[in-house]
Amino acid sequence: MRTIAALQAVVTATPFDGEPSDAELDAIDREMPAILADVVLLDAQIMTIDRTPTELDERRIRRARRRVLAARRELANRSAGVSMSGGAA
């Protein structure tokens, strides 16, 4: 039977400072419009949890869903453009 102490050197071989790397921060910045659109949609949905949605609520949710889809589409197009850069135009 092996002890945990014997495996600790393997697990903690690379020090982790708890901060995100520059690449991770850049990825968060790229995804921020989609994240914010998701937050707006959740806010609109949460407002109608305990009551029947009014016409205004339905429009707000519909508008938020469209914003989420547009943000995700933009993110996907941007990611595809980055991965396909250098190709024939």
Side-chain angles (χ1 to χ4, degrees):
M1 181 159 98
R2 294 172 20 187
T3 63
I4 294 175
L7 299 175
Q8 187 172 3
V10 175
V11 174
T12 60
T14 57
F16 178 68
D17 63 358
E19 298 294 323
S21 68
D22 289 339
E24 291 169 331
L25 290 173
D26 290 340
I28 292 169
D29 283 341
R30 282 191 306 272
E31 295 175 11
M32 191 54 69
I35 293 168
L36 294 175
D38 284 333
V39 169
V40 170
L41 176 59
L42 284 172
D43 284 344
Q45 291 171 333
I46 287 170
M47 285 192 299
T48 62
I49 285 178
D50 60 347
R51 61 184 168 93
T52 304
T54 64
E55 183 179 337
L56 180 63
D57 292 330
E58 290 173 1
R59 281 190 275 170
R60 184 179 292 123
I61 291 170
R62 205 169 36 245
R63 192 170 38 247
R65 283 185 182 142
R66 284 195 303 264
R67 182 176 170 193
V68 167
L69 291 174
R72 289 181 184 172
R73 182 185 63 231
E74 179 65 30
L75 181 62
N77 287 341
R78 218 177 319 141
S79 296
V82 168
S83 67
M84 297 179 72
S85 65

